Structure formats: C-alpha cells, structure tokens
Amino acid sequence: MQFRRLPLLLTLLCSLLVAAHAQSVPVLMLSDIHLDPFRDPAKFAALSTSPATAWPKILNAPDSVTQAADFEKLTTTCPSRGLDTDWPLLEASLKASHQQIPHPAFITVSGDLMAHVFDCRYRALGGKPELYPAFAAKTVAVVAAELKRTFPKTPIYVALGNNDSGCGDYREDAGSKFLVANSTTLADLTRSNKRKIATESSRLGDWSVTLPEPFQNARLLVLQDMFELKNGVGCDGKRDFHAEEEQISWLREQLESVQKHHQQAWVMAHVPPGVDSYATLSHGIDVCSGKPPIMFTANDELAKTLVEYADVVRLALFAHTHMDEMHVIGHGDHTVAIRMVPSISPVNGNHPAFTVSEVDPKSFTLRDWTVYVAPNKNGTGVWSEEYRFSQTYHEPAFDAVSARKLLDGFRADKGSEAASTQAYEHNFFAGDSGKFALVMRFGWPMYSCAANATTADEYKSCVCPAK
C-alpha cells in the first residue's frame, strides 16, 4: 500500500516545486561592462564631435587600416591589465542575454560602464580636458541606449561605478556636470518616476525607486558609492567628507522610510563594503603581524547602516571585483546577504558572464540564479550555463539565513575539502579552466574570511589562529 502511494507523493512534490518556481519572476543582472570606445583610435575624432546617437554607426564601421598599430601605441602609453569590452562584445553580450531572458521583470547593472584608464587614453588621443565630462557622459549614454534598444519594455536600473566619472577613476564631485548629465540618461531607463529620479540622482548619483508589479512593497535603493571608497576623492584630489556623510544620511533616511511603510528593499552600488582580499593578498600584507588589511571603503559606515536595517534589506547587490562572489555582513538577526555579480568585461582574463536570477515578488527574496558564460573572451559563439545556485549549493534561496549558513561553512572548511567550497572556487572566475581555482585554494582561508567580515578586526580574528 505504501508503494502505491509513492507515485502520488512524487506528483504532489513536483507540483509543489513547480508552484514555488512559478512564484518567482526572472531578473537579469549585469555588471562591469567597461565599454572601450578607443579600440580603433582613428575613430576618436568622429566620436568626439558626434552625439551619442551617432556612435553605433561609427563603432560598427570597419576598422581603420592602422587600427592594430594605433591601439598598440595607445596601450603602451596607457597600459591596462587586459582588454575591456569593445563594441562587438557589448553587442554579443546583450544579444546572448536577450536570448536567455527576452522579457525580464527588470535589469540591474551594478556599475562601471566605462573602460579602465579611460581618462589617460582620452588625453593621449588629443581630447580636450574641458570636454572630458561630456565625452564620458556620452559613453554612459551609448551603453544605456544599447540596453534600452535590446530590452525596450523592461525597467533598467543602473548604478555608477568608480570608473564612471567625469574627471577620472575614483574621482568625482557632488553635483558635477557628469552626474547631472547622467541623471537624465539613467532615469530614462527606469520607465517610471523619471523626473523624481533625475532630480534625486543629479547631486550624488543616488536614487530610489518603487518596483512595479508584480513586486509588492519593494524598493530598490541605488548608490554611486564613490564617496564611500577608501580611494575615492573629489576632482581636485581631496576627500569630500561632507558628500560621504550626506550619502550615508540619504541611505539611512531611505531605509527608515522603507521600515515606516512596511516595505522591503534591495540596496545596489558598485563597490562592496569590507575587506579587499585580492589586494591584501597581492600586496603580501600579513594581518597576523598587526598590519591592517586593505579595505574597500574608507570606514565601516556603509556596512553598519546596511546591518542596522537588516530587517528590511533583503539583498545588497555589488560588483567591482569582476568575480562571482557571495558575502555576508552582520550577525544573527542583523545579517545582510551580499551578491557580487560577475563582469561582462574580460579585462582580468575571465570570460564575459551575465546572471539570470529568480526573485520572489512578494518577499523580494533572491530565490535562485544561473550564471551564463561566453565560450571565449570576445563573446562570440554560444554562451552556456556555468552553474545554477540551487543545484550547486542546495539552498532554497539566497537570503540572510541561507547565506550565513553557506558562508559559515566556507569559513570552517579551511582545507577547501567540501564539494560546495570547491564549486565556489571553480565558479569564482567565470570560464575558469581550473587554474584560478588552484589560486583560490591556496588563499582560501583569506578569501572565505573576507566574505564573512564586516570590519578589519573581524577579518583578522578569522584569519589569524587564536593564541
């Protein structure tokens, strides 16, 4: 009799799983596009004198006969660690994204639309300094226009990153011409409350939006967190402490409003709070000897604010490292799950990647995601599934509870022996053949501790054995 009931139970279980999946809606997550408009330096003059609407025709034109030699000369003058996204890769990544998910509920772009060493290459090609903010803003506008052309009916929410600046990497002024120009560009992508968002974002690049149906009582808070970064300064090279404090005050006010109106929120910015594990390791910093690790932010205020409002922050969404990462900050009931989205740019040697997520519209919980990766660095060919979160880590969602459980397991696995740990090491670097996973395994205690640490002291206590 019990065996006769088995098919019925299996059918019921499958129905429940299908119903749970049906409750989620798809969301496309992109980051670190880093469009390089200087790949054919001979086109720079035309780009400089043309509006953003004319750029696609210019960039689609055949390369000049001197392209290879001109670009080699430019990279010698302004070296970078690799190649960023050229126009064909931008088109290929958006095409692949649309093929996988033609109608997402919304799209997030968590920063860095402009290429590395952007200001250096602009100057090297004879660009006029006084026109640099406008040229930089046009680059952002071109990426925005391609996003909108590919997904014309989808709300698109974009945060600016440290490379997205009108005066140089990690430099920006409150109320700058660059921020004012982009406030209209980015507000136009949201498809709602455009005037409010444009006005709100024109000063610090920060804005908020209430998400449309089917999401219920859900808000997205977007920061241009340049002003919070350890390396972040104004265009004059001096730190703007007032803008830093103003930004945290704005975030706090927004989260208090979310609490007051019984809502739930995601917070999106480009650079995460916490320890920069790669920089700390690559600089050979021995925190156990008393030296502090390298931090992303100038202080702990961003992390503290997120943790303080952990009851309403369902997810914090960042990027910047170009890697596929999961972090948590806080403790107990005051824990926030952090998702860091892998990059489109292959500048670090990784393959371009994007993420298709499943989000519960009622609880605003990130239930699942799938990362798709290009077969090569230029994005040509068929992009394939790298992994699915639920199948790889066997968790029902990426919320505070599941994230803490998963990340605590990583931290406890000092020898990198568990299947979940090894999967994380492999997926960390999109398109990895296995070489980077070996590097991850060597530095695993430091990486896993950084993923769990809110402060430098927490990181040190995790990394250094108790005496």
Side-chain angles (χ1 to χ4, degrees), residues 26-358:
V27 170
L28 174 62
M29 295 179 176
L30 306 171
S31 84
D32 292 278
I33 292 172
H34 289 291
L35 176 63
D36 181 3
F38 310 113
R39 191 61 65 87
D40 186 353
K43 296 179 180 180
F44 176 70
L47 295 174
S48 297
T49 57
S50 302
T53 53
W55 278 31
K57 182 178 180 179
I58 298 169
L59 293 171
N60 274 320
D63 287 341
S64 64
V65 294
T66 59
Q67 184 273 333
D70 290 347
F71 187 65
E72 183 178 0
K73 180 180 178 181
L74 183 61
T75 55
T76 300
T77 303
C78 302
S80 179
R81 60 183 178 272
L83 295 177
D84 269 317
T85 302
D86 60 7
W87 185 254
L89 175 53
L90 175 63
E91 298 290 271
S93 63
L94 294 180
K95 179 181 178 181
S97 300
H98 188 268
Q99 288 174 341
Q100 288 296 335
I101 178 171
H103 303 292
F106 63 86
I107 298 170
T108 61
V109 183
S110 41
D112 271 2
L113 283 68
M114 294 166 52
H116 296 87
V117 294
F118 196 96
D119 55 337
C120 178
R121 293 182 177 180
Y122 176 86
R123 293 192 304 270
L125 292 175
K128 297 179 179 179
E130 65 272 18
L131 298 180
Y132 180 78
F135 187 87
K138 281 197 294 185
T139 306
V140 172
V142 168
V143 176
E146 288 304 293
L147 286 164
K148 188 175 182 179
R149 182 187 63 79
T150 308
F151 299 95
K153 297 182 179 180
T154 301
I156 304 170
Y157 307 125
V158 179
L160 296 174
N162 57 282
N163 283 105
D164 303 325
S165 165
C167 59
D169 190 17
Y170 286 101
R171 290 173 174 252
E172 195 53 88
D173 287 340
S176 68
K177 292 180 180 180
F178 178 80
L179 291 178
V180 171
N182 282 316
S183 64
T184 302
T185 297
L186 301 185
D188 187 56
L189 295 175
T190 65
R191 301 182 60 83
S192 63
N193 300 315
K194 296 180 183 179
R195 182 175 298 179
K196 168 190 171 294
I197 292 171
T199 301
E200 190 174 21
S201 63
S202 63
R203 175 158 174 76
L204 297 178
D206 306 335
W207 51 276
S208 68
V209 63
T210 299
L211 297 182
E213 294 183 350
F215 295 94
Q216 301 175 16
N217 299 314
R219 286 173 62 184
L220 177 66
L221 311 181
V222 180
L223 286 84
Q224 202 286 53
D225 62 350
M226 181 95 73
F227 302 105
E228 307 306 314
L229 305 185
K230 183 177 181 181
N231 297 328
V233 294
C235 293
D236 60 0
K238 298 178 182 178
R239 187 159 190 83
D240 189 342
F241 294 100
H242 179 73
E244 178 184 334
E245 294 171 358
E246 183 181 347
Q247 189 165 64
I248 293 298
S249 295
W250 177 87
L251 177 60
R252 184 177 295 275
E253 289 172 2
Q254 295 297 318
L255 291 172
E256 286 178 355
S257 176
V258 170
Q259 278 186 333
K260 179 181 178 180
H261 292 91
H262 306 288
Q263 296 174 319
Q264 49 221 344
W266 284 10
V267 176
M268 180 172 70
H270 181 60
V271 183
V275 177
D276 185 340
S277 54
Y278 174 79
T280 300
L281 281 167
S282 61
H283 284 80
I285 295 175
D286 182 6
V287 297
C288 298
S289 67
K291 296 180 180 179
I294 296 175
M295 308 295 290
F296 285 117
T297 50
N299 53 53
D300 301 326
E301 290 304 311
L302 177 57
K304 287 179 180 178
T305 303
L306 293 174
V307 170
E308 182 179 349
Y309 293 92
D311 59 322
V312 295
V313 177
R314 297 288 174 262
L315 181 72
L317 195 60
F318 296 95
H320 183 60
T321 65
H322 294 209
M323 302 296 108
D324 187 324
E325 301 191 49
M326 296 179 282
H327 289 200
V328 288
I329 54 175
H331 303 279
D333 293 336
H334 293 278
T335 297
V336 175
I338 292 178
R339 173 75 178 127
M340 294 171 62
V341 183
S343 70
I344 295 295
S345 170
V347 71
N348 290 334
N350 57 292
H351 289 195
F354 63 85
T355 305
V356 176
S357 297
E358 296 290 335

